[in-house]
């Protein structure tokens, strides 16, 4: 009997203890659970598999009490991933997109933006042949550079050490940096860039054509410092213009380099050459390769026939004119070549010789050079003086450019652009 009373007392105390625990630690609502989850990066999950027990609790209380388990929360990491993605999109949106013909190199101290704007044969620059360092098969690649100094020190951008490498199958080549001045291909300059400064300049690479369509690497080498016993040209030039350390970089992403450089072929597509429009009094001749406009008139009381010729190449490839192939025909079959020439000296592959015995002509007159070329835009102007002698102007009835007059086995059909035009000088 006494044992039963103790049993009831124990059970009663257990019930009171359970009630006390329930009042001190009430079940958490859904909102409170989320708050705990946010603070601890854990999610509370209800489960009947794992039970947390108290040795003082009775079996009945233990069986009636719910249990909890903990699992890693998924909400916060997902939120962080979304934030990172949004940040990446925002950063990309703020970066300027590059055009097809552009490529850029960036690092902590500087950035170099290159834009390739056009490509053409070196034969458009006839005076470069005088330097003895240019082959007629070489090509010129035009480019614009934007260099920004992000460091706190001045540096030199040593343009003479810029190279573009190209290869296709068994054909490999390199283009060296240069600058075009007065139709001459000259070595590139050293560019000094102050801290925080951005400079813009042009570089014209010269070398093998394979580097235009199949470029795979762009390199800028820094000049190596030498001691006083080494008197190399680069060292002397560097000492004259240097303001600081030279920078160097290398772009080896083959697909990106090839895409940017080869796009130079299309640089002038929107400005394709168009045939000349004849002015009043001009004759007009159109061939598959060029268009010609010219005047023909007697001067010096009929002593000379002067022809002022304008030419525009339409193919994008240069034409080399042979002065000896221009001629005037008379009605009885006589043909005459020019006795004197006036032209832009930059269009001659050799230094022309001045003629001093042509009386009555005020402008400078030269002897016929070996070759005459056109400018990079495909234009040229030549003035020819034909000695008329005792002939009347109306006896000259035809003006021609006939490359078959010169027996030159090296001249191919692609290099010829013959034409003839009937004159009316009554």
């Amino acid at each position: 009997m006494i044992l039963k009373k103790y049993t009831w007392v124990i059970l009663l105390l257990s019930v009171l203890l359970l009630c006390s625990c329930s009042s001190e630690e009430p079940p958490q609502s859904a909102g409170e659970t989320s708050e705990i989850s946010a603070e601890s990066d854990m999610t509370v999950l209800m489960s009947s598999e794992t039970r947390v027990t108290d040795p003082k609790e009775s079996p009945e209380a233990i069986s009636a009490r719910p249990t909890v388990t903990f699992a890693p929360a998924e909400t916060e990491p997902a939120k962080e991933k979304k934030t990172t993605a949004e940040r990446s999109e925002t950063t990309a949106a703020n970066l300027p997109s590059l055009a097809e013909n552009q490529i850029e190199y960036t690092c902590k101290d500087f950035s170099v933006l290159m834009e390739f704007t056009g490509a053409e044969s070196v034969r458009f620059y006839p005076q470069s042949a005088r330097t003895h360092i240019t082959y007629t098969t070489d090509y010129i690649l035009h480019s614009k550079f934007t260099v920004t100094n992000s460091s706190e020190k001045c540096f030199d951008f040593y343009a003479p050490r810029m190279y573009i490498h190209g290869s296709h199958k068994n054909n490999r080549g390199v283009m060296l940096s240069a600058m075009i001045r007065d139709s001459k291909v000259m070595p590139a300059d050293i560019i000094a860039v102050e801290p925080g400064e951005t400079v813009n300049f042009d570089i014209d690479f010269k070398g093998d054509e394979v580097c235009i369509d199949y470029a795979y690497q762009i390199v800028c080498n820094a000049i190596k410092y030498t001691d006083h016993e080494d008197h190399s040209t680069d060292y002397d030039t560097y000492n004259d213009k240097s303001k600081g350390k030279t920078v160097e970089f290398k772009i080896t992403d083959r697909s990106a380099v090839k895409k940017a450089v080869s796009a130079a072929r299309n640089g002038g597509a929107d400005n394709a050459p168009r045939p000349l429009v004849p002015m009043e009094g001009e004759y007009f001749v159109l061939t598959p390769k060029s268009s010609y406009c010219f005047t023909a008139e007697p001067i010096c009381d009929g002593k000379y026939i002067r022809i002022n010729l304008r030419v525009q190449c339409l193919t994008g490839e240069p034409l080399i004119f042979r002065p000896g192939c221009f001629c005037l025909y008379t009605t009885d079959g006589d043909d005459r070549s020019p006795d004197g020439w006036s032209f832009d000296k930059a269009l001659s592959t050799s230094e022309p010789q001045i003629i001093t015995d042509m009386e009555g002509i005020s402008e400078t007159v030269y002897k016929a050079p070996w070759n005459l070329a056109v400018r990079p835009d495909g234009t040229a102007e030549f003035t020819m003086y034909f000695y008329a002698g005792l002939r009347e102007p109306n006896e000259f009835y035809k003006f021609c450019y006939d490359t078959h007059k010169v027996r030159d086995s090296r001249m191919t059909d692609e290099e010829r652009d013959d034409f003839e035009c009937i004159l009316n000088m009554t």
Side-chain angles (χ1 to χ4, degrees):
M1 188 69 178
I2 296 173
L3 181 60
K4 290 182 178 179
K5 290 182 179 180
Y6 280 115
T7 302
W8 281 105
V9 171
I10 292 173
L11 289 174
L12 181 60
L13 290 175
S14 299
V15 171
L16 292 175
L17 180 61
L18 285 173
C19 292
S20 175
C21 291
S22 299
S23 62
E24 292 176 359
E25 298 178 8
Q28 294 175 338
S29 64
E32 291 170 337
T33 302
S34 299
E35 184 177 351
I36 294 173
S37 174
E39 292 177 356
S40 61
D41 288 340
M42 300 292 286
T43 300
V44 180
L45 303 177
M46 303 304 296
S47 173
S48 59
E49 297 175 358
T50 306
R51 299 178 181 273
V52 182
T53 60
D54 188 334
K56 295 182 181 180
E57 291 183 301
S58 65
E60 293 80 0
I62 292 172
S63 62
R65 183 176 176 182
T67 60
V68 297
T69 60
F70 298 92
E74 296 181 358
T75 304
E76 284 305 311
K79 182 178 180 181
E80 178 62 24
K81 290 179 181 178
K82 181 179 179 182
T83 304
T84 304
E86 290 176 352
R87 188 183 302 116
S88 299
E89 291 175 2
T90 303
T91 303
N94 292 333
L95 293 175
S97 58
L98 295 179
E100 186 180 27
N101 64 333
Q102 291 180 326
I103 193 168
E104 188 173 30
Y105 177 87
T106 60
C107 65
K108 179 173 64 74
D109 293 330
F110 66 92
S111 66
V112 180
L113 174 65
M114 289 160 275
E115 179 180 356
F116 300 97
T117 57
E120 60 211 7
S121 171
V122 76
R123 290 184 297 164
F124 278 120
Y125 303 93
Q127 290 199 15
S128 64
R130 304 180 192 174
T131 63
H132 305 293
I133 59 173
T134 300
Y135 298 97
T136 56
T137 56
D138 282 351
Y139 267 71
I140 297 292
L141 174 67
H142 301 293
S143 62
K144 296 182 179 296
F145 274 64
T146 300
V147 178
T148 300
N149 186 351
S150 305
S151 69
E152 297 180 353
K153 296 182 179 180
C154 176
F155 65 71
D156 291 334
F157 187 88
Y158 199 71
R161 291 290 182 91
M162 283 287 302
Y163 307 97
I164 296 179
H165 298 275
S167 68
H168 179 59
K169 297 182 179 179
N170 294 328
N171 189 9
R172 301 179 65 86
V174 63
M175 300 193 92
L176 311 178
S177 57
M179 290 183 177
I180 308 297
R181 292 175 182 157
D182 300 325
S183 296
K184 295 181 181 179
V185 182
M186 309 291 291
D189 284 339
I190 301 171
I191 310 296
V193 188
E194 300 291 342
E197 183 183 21
T198 296
V199 297
N200 299 279
F201 53 89
D202 296 342
I203 290 183
D204 298 285
F205 293 92
K206 176 185 68 69
D208 300 289
E209 185 181 9
V210 67
C211 299
I212 299 175
D213 296 318
Y214 300 98
Y216 68 86
Q217 181 176 263
I218 301 175
V219 180
C220 180
N221 292 332
I223 187 172
K224 296 180 179 179
Y225 292 91
T226 56
D227 56 33
H228 294 290
E229 295 181 358
D230 184 354
H231 301 290
S232 64
T233 303
D234 280 350
Y235 181 60
D236 295 337
T237 304
Y238 180 71
N239 280 345
D240 291 339
K241 300 183 179 181
S242 172
K243 281 196 171 184
K245 185 178 180 180
T246 56
V247 298
E248 62 181 345
F249 64 89
K250 181 184 293 186
I251 304 176
T252 58
D253 186 338
R254 188 184 189 108
S255 60
V257 171
K258 178 182 177 181
K259 176 184 176 182
V261 177
S262 62
R265 290 286 197 186
N266 303 322
D270 296 335
N271 300 315
R274 296 182 179 181
L276 296 171
V277 177
M279 296 183 290
E280 184 178 357
E282 285 189 324
Y283 296 90
F284 177 73
V285 178
L286 181 64
T287 70
K289 296 180 181 179
S290 305
S291 69
Y292 301 89
C293 289
F294 66 93
T295 59
E297 58 181 342
I299 61 171
C300 301
D301 297 327
K303 185 176 181 179
Y304 297 101
I305 302 297
R306 179 174 62 192
I307 291 183
N308 289 318
L309 176 70
R310 297 188 292 137
V311 60
Q312 171 69 69
C313 294
L314 304 176
T315 63
E317 290 294 323
L319 283 175
I320 301 296
F321 292 96
R322 301 292 176 86
C325 296
F326 288 99
C327 59
L328 275 178
Y329 282 89
T330 63
T331 53
D332 58 1
D334 186 21
D335 65 277
R336 300 192 177 186
S337 297
D339 291 272
W341 287 78
S342 292
F343 48 80
D344 182 357
K345 290 174 60 177
L347 302 181
S348 173
T349 56
S350 58
E351 186 66 29
Q353 299 179 11
I354 298 177
I355 298 176
T356 58
D357 57 355
M358 295 187 69
E359 298 179 0
I361 301 175
S362 58
E363 58 187 330
T364 303
V365 182
Y366 301 102
K367 290 183 180 180
W370 178 251
N371 287 325
L372 281 172
V374 294
R375 301 184 186 91
D377 61 358
T379 64
E381 299 84 29
F382 309 133
T383 300
M384 294 162 253
Y385 302 92
F386 296 84
Y387 180 69
L390 300 177
R391 297 281 188 175
E392 294 295 327
N394 59 3
E395 294 186 61
F396 295 94
Y397 84 102
K398 185 169 67 173
F399 175 58
C400 298
Y401 180 66
D402 184 4
T403 55
H404 294 88
K405 286 175 61 67
V406 177
R407 296 180 180 178
D408 189 345
S409 59
R410 294 173 298 175
M411 200 169 194
T412 64
D413 290 338
E414 288 74 16
E415 295 175 306
R416 304 179 190 274
D417 196 40
D418 295 2
F419 70 85
E420 62 180 34
C421 182
I422 302 302
L423 305 178
N424 183 19
M425 292 194 296
T426 55

